[in-house]
Amino acid sequence: MVKSHVSVEEQAMANSTIGERLAYNDYTTIDWLHDLVKDSYRLRTIHDKKSIRGKAIAAFDSSSGWIAAAVIGALTACVAYIVDICAATVSDWKLGHCTSNPFLTREACCSSQTSISEPPITECELFKPWGSSYVASFSIYVAFALLFGITSASLTMLTKGELPSAGSPDAKDEDGVEKTAPAGKIMYMAAGSGIPEIKTILGGFVIPDFLSLKVLLVKAAGAVFAVSTGMCLGKEGPFVHISTCMGYLVASLFPKYRDNGRKMREMLSAACAAGLSVAFGAPIGGVLFSYEEISTYFPRKVLWRAFLCSAVAAMVLKGLNPTGTGKLVLFETNYGTSYGAVHYLVFVVLGIAGGIFGGVFCKLNFLWGKSFRKYAIIKNYPVFEVFLIVLATALLQYPNPLIREPGDMIIKNLLVDCKTEDSAESWVCQNEARTDGNWEYIGWLAYGTLAKLALTIITFGIKVPSGVIIPALDAGALFGRLLGQWVGGISPGIFAMVGAAAFLAGVSRMTISLCVIMFELTGELEYVIPHMIAILVAKWVADALGKEGVYDLAQNVLGHPFLDLDHSMGYIQLEDVLVEELLPPQHTMEQITIHVPASNKVRRELLEEKLVQLESRGLMDAGLVLVQNGQMLQGYLAEGELEFGLRELGKLYPADAEVRLLGDAEEGEFDLSSFVDRTPMVVCAKAPMEYAVEMFGKLGLRHLMVTEEGTGKLIGVIIKKRLVAYLDALKHRG
């Protein structure tokens, strides 16, 4: 007996037409339909038991998704609390230290001084700057920023991994000879926001070790130091990655999710909501963000569990109180004034500016990733790139008092309402109250907007944990506050708030979720309509400059396979093509076709030869098609199952044994028929290409058989990666 690598449910499926299936390989696609049927076998097994124990097991199984969602939310909030506290403290070390407790933030240090002094002291004496002169403070600021940047990048290097190439199959050189499998690509699992990779995973692909405990820990620690550098990045994207890692680790404790790729992705979609919930204190916005921006498959039950996961995360974070305010709202505002019809024009202008900013940012960041990061010294030494960008950021940002502090503090300062009593000490309000002219202040606002645009372009994509949400909000708030200087009768902070939303909409193309996030972020329900106007205009303008948002372009730069159904259908509808356009070349079909004789058995040597050919192509999603009686389709045998059958089960059989692929096996036969999918999905070669795109996108197929019109004979096989490569070529051609 050879121990099987499959679950009990898979073994139960061995005698069905679905076929037994092994765990998914690296960078392969999951089979959504197969996993759906697999879960049905599991449910029937559980609910067949009529005893009290069986009913208890069924009840626990039904509630396990809710339990997992609640645990994920609570643990995500705990990690977010630690990261928030550490990032705030470490970031302030660039400016000075608290003499009473070096682990206190500047704000907490000054608050403790005020509480023990009678009467309160207006100037914070407990927080001491490192240098007494501007040059000394500047130098120490830069030195600490470089130290934090190198630390974050060095931690990120610990998550280096190699993935198989996702290149197009059936590639040939100039002489028509098939190329060998392309070399795998290097990937740093903890780098960037993680959202492009999560979208790839939720779209049905497998990225090994991306959601491991090691990556979670490195991501959290790296985010602390990355944010503390002052670079144009945020921890909101990394929080989504951290919550998804937590979702994977918790869900893996339940066999229901661990052994089923489809079910696991349901829980990962719910976990994503917790990430944004703790990042912004926006539980509803987090749910909508997961639905609108990240998830491919989001049925109603996932919505409910995402709602619970996000709510629990918000409740636990509120209880832990990392901000010290006892509130979830990060940037609470109360402007006390309303807007008039004339201000709608200003909101439209902010939307246009946000769309232009987002479109320009996406194009330039894409070109930067394709050009600058291709240089050998940058590609081979990513820590050096981080060093250069931290240095450039510190030199450009420190002279400007508006952008010297961390990104979330920049937004908080720019959203201030100068009509309130507690705003007297605000540097922004002091400059706006000047009667001798504030052109220097206006210059700082303009300088800050341009600096944020330039620095965010070169920063997004470096090898540290980083997100793009906070920098986009910063740039929008700077521009909105700048525009507000010429609009009378209303607080400039309102335009900073709406401008922040417009700029982020232009970068990410978020709409409904962003509007809700801004409401939860500021507590200003009255300004929902201005946000809606600016966000819609920003999206329209940005889409006119380029259809893809920053996360879609990041997937292209990183080379992750992803079937974007919305964008893909737009390209296909402009082309008059049929499914036969995707048929593999004749030599490829010869390599992957097995003509099964009437005995339903083939020589082992033939299968060994076919397996070597499949492996040489570097496509672990590939497989063999089984035909009989003149190319009539009989089944599909994936590479992973073929390899396991020959290399593991085959140890018990001689090298010249015949292998059964179809029919009922007899005692002692080398039988691989249980691995054969006898019911693969089929489409006619003359069907419109839209059929294939919809079938892959909506059904989550790994492969699609193509038959000849009229005869029903098999003439081709399409795997998901081949369709993705074809769509990418269409997109770049367009």
Side-chain angles (χ1 to χ4, degrees):
M1 295 292 292
V2 177
K3 183 180 178 181
S4 177
H5 291 195
V6 297
S7 64
V8 174
E9 292 79 25
E10 289 282 11
Q11 292 174 5
M13 298 172 68
N15 295 325
S16 72
T17 57
I18 302 298
E20 193 176 10
R21 202 68 54 83
L22 299 180
Y24 298 110
N25 291 319
D26 300 345
Y27 234 160
T28 57
T29 56
I30 71 166
D31 193 328
W32 296 81
L33 289 180
H34 177 272
D35 285 346
L36 174 64
V37 177
K38 178 179 175 181
D39 192 54
S40 299
Y41 272 82
R42 182 188 64 81
L43 286 172
R44 286 196 288 268
T45 302
I46 292 174
H47 290 279
D48 276 346
K49 300 175 181 178
K50 303 300 182 182
S51 62
I52 296 178
R53 181 175 180 274
K55 291 180 179 179
I57 292 175
F60 175 77
D61 181 79
S62 300
S63 61
S64 59
W66 300 101
I67 296 171
V71 173
I72 291 167
L75 293 179
T76 299
C78 294
V79 176
Y81 169 77
I82 296 171
V83 173
D84 282 339
I85 294 295
C86 293
T89 302
V90 175
S91 180
D92 283 341
W93 286 349
K94 302 195 305 295
L95 301 174
H97 66 288
C98 184
T99 54
S100 61
N101 185 351
F103 295 103
L104 284 179
T105 64
R106 180 175 53 176
E107 187 175 2
C109 184
C110 296
S111 298
S112 64
Q113 169 186 286
T114 303
S115 63
I116 62 175
S117 59
E118 295 290 344
I121 302 175
T122 56
E123 184 176 350
C124 184
E125 296 179 352
L126 290 180
F127 191 85
K128 296 294 184 182
W130 293 114
S132 56
S133 65
Y134 180 86
V135 174
S137 299
F138 191 6
S139 302
I140 295 175
Y141 178 96
V142 174
F144 268 109
L146 291 173
L147 175 63
F148 296 156
I150 293 173
T151 302
S152 180
S154 300
L155 287 171
T156 305
M157 295 300 104
L158 299 176
T159 60
K160 180 179 180 180
E162 184 174 349
L163 295 179
S165 173
S168 175
D170 310 314
K172 296 182 181 180
D173 59 22
E174 295 178 355
D175 298 324
V177 179
E178 186 176 335
K179 292 181 179 179
T180 57
K185 64 179 180 181
I186 300 299
M187 177 180 175
Y188 299 94
M189 305 293 176
S193 68
I195 291 178
E197 290 85 355
I198 294 170
K199 289 184 69 173
T200 300
I201 291 173
L202 295 183
F205 285 90
V206 178
I207 301 181
D209 302 323
F210 186 74
L211 302 177
S212 64
L213 177 61
K214 176 183 176 181
V215 173
L216 187 155
L217 297 176
V218 171
K219 192 87 174 188
V224 169
F225 290 103
V227 171
S228 300
T229 61
M231 285 190 291
C232 292
L233 48 80
K235 55 183 181 292
E236 289 67 31
F239 273 170
V240 175
H241 187 182
I242 288 171
S243 68
T244 311
C245 289
M246 192 65 72
Y248 176 80
L249 295 172
V250 172
S252 295
L253 301 176
F254 298 83
K256 170 182 179 178
Y257 297 104
R258 182 179 62 241
D259 299 331
N260 192 299
R262 180 190 181 110
K263 299 292 292 182
M264 174 62 78
R265 277 152 184 77
E266 291 180 3
M267 193 52 62
L268 296 183
S269 291
C272 289
L276 211 70
S277 174
V278 297
F280 285 125
I284 301 176
V287 176
L288 292 176
F289 177 79
S290 178
Y291 169 73
E292 180 183 3
E293 187 63 29
I294 298 184
S295 298
T296 301
Y297 175 68
F298 206 85
R300 187 174 300 177
K301 63 179 177 180
V302 175
L303 175 67
W304 296 334
R305 287 169 186 165
F307 192 75
L308 173 66
C309 186
S310 187
V312 170
M315 287 190 296
V316 173
L317 190 67
K318 186 178 185 298
L320 294 174
N321 192 21
T323 60
T325 63
K327 299 179 179 179
L328 272 179
V329 179
L330 289 184
F331 310 123
E332 185 175 15
T333 57
N334 185 15
Y335 295 111
T337 58
S338 186
Y339 54 90
V342 67
H343 295 123
Y344 286 137
L345 180 61
V346 184
F347 300 141
V348 171
V349 171
L350 288 172
I352 294 173
I356 294 174
F357 175 92
V360 170
F361 167 81
C362 289
K363 286 184 177 294
L364 294 183
N365 179 255
F366 181 77
L367 293 175
W368 181 265
K370 286 290 189 180
S371 57
F372 180 75
R373 294 193 176 108
K374 294 299 181 182
Y375 289 113
I377 190 172
I378 300 299
K379 184 177 181 180
N380 298 329
Y381 303 98
V383 178
F384 179 64
E385 180 192 7
V386 174
F387 175 87
L388 293 177
I389 292 179
V390 172
L391 181 62
T393 302
L395 294 177
L396 287 174
Q397 289 194 162
Y398 186 85
N400 189 342
L402 283 169
I403 58 176
R404 185 180 300 168
E405 297 192 77
D408 51 352
M409 291 301 299
I410 294 173
I411 300 173
K412 185 177 181 179
N413 294 335
L414 290 170
L415 296 186
V416 65
D417 181 14
C418 294
K419 295 180 181 179
T420 59
E421 295 180 359
D422 56 355
S423 64
E425 298 180 5
S426 168
W427 186 86
V428 170
C429 293
Q430 290 173 359
N431 278 272
E432 291 183 349
R434 291 172 57 177
T435 58
D436 57 343
N438 61 350
W439 286 106
E440 181 182 359
Y441 167 67
I442 291 175
W444 285 129
L445 286 171
Y447 173 81
T449 304
L450 296 175
K452 281 293 179 182
L453 171 60
L455 291 173
T456 307
I457 287 171
I458 65 175
T459 302
F460 186 69
I462 62 173
K463 300 303 183 287
V464 296
S466 59
V468 74
I469 294 178
I470 284 292
L473 291 174
D474 287 343
L478 286 161
F479 181 81
R481 195 90 194 188
L482 175 63
L483 188 62
Q485 302 304 305
W486 289 281
V487 182
I490 189 170
S491 173
I494 295 172
F495 302 110
M497 176 177 62
V498 177
F503 276 48
L504 180 53
V507 169
S508 67
R509 316 299 160 87
M510 294 159 53
T511 53
I512 301 173
S513 58
L514 176 56
C515 190
V516 174
I517 287 170
M518 293 305 299
F519 156 58
E520 294 184 287
L521 197 60
T522 61
E524 286 284 3
L525 181 60
E526 185 177 355
Y527 294 93
V528 168
I529 293 178
H531 279 129
M532 293 174 70
I533 294 172
I535 288 170
L536 280 174
V537 173
K539 177 173 173 54
W540 290 335
V541 173
D543 282 346
L545 297 176
K547 291 294 184 183
E548 294 178 304
V550 63
Y551 299 126
D552 300 317
L553 290 174
Q555 283 179 307
N556 292 337
V557 173
L558 296 170
H560 299 315
F562 179 70
L563 178 56
D564 188 340
L565 198 56
D566 294 332
H567 289 151
S568 300
M569 193 56 70
Y571 292 113
I572 287 295
Q573 288 174 330
L574 297 176
E575 303 284 333
D576 185 17
V577 291
L578 304 177
V579 172
E580 61 185 3
E581 183 76 15
L582 290 176
L583 290 179
Q586 185 60 37
H587 75 281
T588 299
M589 285 305 300
E590 292 174 356
Q591 288 181 352
I592 66 173
T593 301
I594 295 286
H595 295 273
V596 183
S599 64
N600 293 330
K601 294 185 286 187
V602 298
R603 294 180 296 107
R604 178 173 180 169
E605 303 94 286
L606 175 62
L607 293 179
E608 295 278 6
E609 177 185 343
K610 297 288 187 182
L611 177 59
V612 171
Q613 291 175 342
L614 288 175
E615 291 175 334
S616 68
R617 301 169 65 82
L619 292 169
M620 290 176 291
D621 281 334
L624 301 179
V625 287
L626 312 182
V627 297
Q628 278 183 331
N629 304 323
Q631 290 295 110
M632 299 305 295
L633 177 65
Q634 296 297 322
Y636 185 85
L637 178 59
E639 178 187 343
E641 285 74 50
L642 176 62
E643 179 185 10
F644 173 74
L646 294 177
R647 307 271 168 83
E648 297 295 332
L649 299 179
K651 294 177 181 178
L652 302 177
Y653 302 96
D656 59 350
E658 287 195 320
V659 182
R660 177 173 289 278
L661 297 178
L662 301 173
D664 298 326
E666 298 179 1
E667 186 71 25
E669 281 189 330
F670 188 179
D671 180 26
L672 295 186
S673 62
S674 61
F675 290 117
V676 176
D677 181 0
R678 298 295 305 275
T679 57
M681 298 297 290
V682 178
V683 68
C684 177
K686 296 299 182 182
M689 185 64 76
E690 290 87 342
Y691 281 22
V693 175
E694 281 285 292
M695 292 175 75
F696 273 104
K698 296 290 181 63
L699 298 178
L701 304 180
R702 293 183 84 186
H703 46 259
L704 182 61
M705 307 295 115
V706 183
T707 57
E708 187 178 45
E709 182 184 22
T711 66
K713 294 181 179 179
L714 179 75
I715 57 175
V717 180
I718 305 171
I719 62 173
K720 190 173 184 179
K721 285 181 182 175
R722 182 174 183 83
L723 177 64
V724 170
Y726 173 77
L727 294 173
D728 285 342
L730 273 186
K731 178 172 57 180
H732 295 143
R733 190 175 69 191

